[in-house]
Amino acid sequence: MKTLPEIFQSNSPVISIEVFPPKTEQGDRSLFNMLDRLAQYKPAFISCTYGAGGSERTRTVDLCQRIQQQFEIPTTAHLTCVGSSRAEIIDILNSANAAGVKNIMALRGDAPEGAQTFEATEGGLAFANELVQLIREHFPEMGIGVAAYPEKHTEAPDLPTDLKNLKRKIDAGADVAFTQLFFENDNFYRFREMYEQAGCHIPLVPGIMPITEFARIKRITALCGAIFPDELASRLEAVQDDKQAQMEIGVNHAIAQCQDLLNQGAPGIHFYALNKSRACQQILDALDLS
Ligand SMILES: Cc1cc2nc3c(=O)[nH]c(=O)nc-3n(C[C@H](O)[C@H](O)[C@H](O)COP(=O)(O)OP(=O)(O)OC[C@H]3O[C@@H](n4cnc5c(N)ncnc54)[C@H](O)[C@@H]3O)c2cc1C
């Protein structure tokens, strides 16, 4: 299985699909059916998110291993610093390595439910750059992805400060940066200019979440701090009782965004697919990357 640097050597756009580990058997079946449908588009890799604590810790690596076995597509296991000491993080990395998972999305994670701010666990890590450094020290061959925020991370005082912190992750050895979801390409282009001027040299991959339901996307954007354009919001509001129409508007918006991003030199698209295939299929059909 390829590592992220090997994958991004490609001349064609790198398409990746992000999924989350389901909590039920039904969810599990539906995820694998979804992946079965999307596998025909030959995504370069599938990434699996990480939830904090307990049994959730092993779920991500297990899911990555199953996806690699079933579809022969490389995976990237997300990993956060939430609730784990350095030793526990190293344990997880060892299991990823033993399972043949060659890439890690190295994240700090969010404050656990009920807590106002993120606090490092005793003996744990405070920021994602420390996680990147730890992975590089112990697993020099691993591919490492990190998060980037074209519209600023919610806790950062301003974009230049946030960018300096992103640079710390790159200097610590990250291979590729994947952005938070956004709906206005101009915000991505402005950020990319600052990114390049700051001496960030690794691929910067836009993250796109196709809108399938207005209510859901409003909740998600409120949580992650993505800017929702007024014009798009009013179009969706006008059809708030018609889910099919919402999906159509959302998919068309995503198609236009992706086409423009690829025309403007984005190295690929990272799809936040939310374990659903229909919107991604429609977008990938329209992009016709074959
Ligand atoms: C592509 C992608 C995938 C994600 N996957 C998951 C997932 O699977 N599970 C999950 O729980 N969450 C996930 N998230 C969400 C992520 O965990 C949150 O956005 C979290 O709040 C920040 O994580 P980070 O890795 O960007 O943190 P960091 O890069 O550590 O940044 C966090 C904040 O601290 C500041 N900062 C960073 N380093 C320093 C430093 N050294 N000194 C001072 N300030 C600093 C930054 O400016 C920022 O405001 C994902 C986000 C993205 C974009």
Side-chain angles (χ1 to χ4, degrees):
M1 291 291 164
K2 287 185 178 172
T3 62
L4 288 172
E6 287 164 345
I7 289 169
F8 278 87
Q9 270 167 17
S10 156
N11 287 324
S12 42
V14 172
I15 299 302
S16 48
I17 310 280
E18 182 174 309
V19 300
F20 58 86
K23 292 207 164 98
T24 62
E25 274 180 29
Q26 167 63 30
D28 211 53
R29 272 195 299 277
S30 115
L31 171 65
F32 275 77
N33 288 336
M34 170 250 187
L35 289 174
D36 209 29
R37 287 188 288 272
L38 290 182
Q40 61 173 305
Y41 296 91
K42 302 198 171 20
F45 70 94
I46 308 284
S47 86
C48 305
T49 64
Y50 180 85
S55 64
E56 300 254 343
R57 280 199 192 132
T58 54
R59 271 214 189 111
T60 303
V61 167
D62 290 349
L63 180 59
C64 285
Q65 185 175 28
R66 285 173 55 210
I67 291 172
Q68 291 195 164
Q69 278 165 355
Q70 185 153 335
F71 298 104
E72 293 183 0
I73 296 174
T75 59
T76 295
H78 294 214
L79 178 58
T80 76
C81 309
V82 178
S84 299
S85 64
R86 290 172 79 91
E88 285 165 331
I89 289 173
I90 291 172
D91 273 354
I92 298 170
L93 291 166
N94 270 322
S95 21
N97 198 36
V101 175
K102 299 204 166 155
N103 303 298
I104 299 289
M105 188 78 79
L107 303 145
R108 185 201 69 179
D110 287 315
E113 242 176 75
Q116 289 296 314
T117 50
F118 174 91
E119 297 278 347
T121 301
E122 211 182 316
L125 308 172
F127 294 107
N129 64 289
E130 297 173 16
L131 179 55
V132 176
Q133 193 182 344
L134 183 86
I135 300 170
R136 270 289 161 263
E137 266 168 35
H138 292 263
F139 300 91
E141 305 300 322
M142 279 273 185
I144 304 178
V146 289
Y149 302 86
E151 293 165 345
K152 187 183 88 58
H153 182 254
T154 46
E155 295 163 31
D158 49 56
L159 202 46
T161 308
D162 203 25
L163 186 56
K164 257 188 215 153
N165 290 326
L166 169 57
K167 179 104 182 357
R168 293 180 203 258
K169 301 191 267 196
I170 298 172
D171 292 344
D175 296 305
V176 184
F178 297 90
T179 78
Q180 184 56 278
L181 60 103
F182 61 90
F183 299 98
E184 298 250 36
N185 285 2
D186 281 349
N187 294 346
F188 174 81
Y189 299 137
R190 254 193 303 276
F191 177 71
R192 185 169 66 177
E193 221 173 289
M194 292 171 71
Y195 176 87
E196 284 164 1
Q197 274 167 10
C200 300
H201 56 277
I202 62 173
L204 178 67
V205 183
I208 297 294
M209 181 177 286
I211 301 165
T212 52
E213 256 184 77
F214 189 34
R216 191 174 199 195
I217 205 78
K218 269 204 292 200
R219 275 196 309 274
I220 294 172
T221 49
L223 279 176
C224 73
I227 297 169
F228 205 80
D230 291 342
E231 182 270 333
L232 185 57
S234 354
R235 278 198 290 138
L236 287 162
E237 245 147 22
V239 292
Q240 56 184 321
D241 299 323
D242 183 348
K243 287 204 172 142
Q244 180 60 32
Q246 290 172 28
M247 175 139 169
E248 228 170 272
I249 292 172
V251 165
N252 285 335
H253 182 80
I255 291 171
Q257 257 197 299
C258 294
Q259 266 163 348
D260 183 57
L261 287 162
L262 295 174
N263 287 341
Q264 301 292 326
I269 307 280
H270 185 66
F271 284 106
Y272 294 105
L274 295 175
N275 293 16
K276 301 250 188 286
S277 61
R278 204 146 69 97
C280 284
Q281 276 184 292
Q282 290 176 8
I283 297 164
L284 290 166
D285 281 338
L287 293 179
D288 190 19
L289 299 166
S290 53

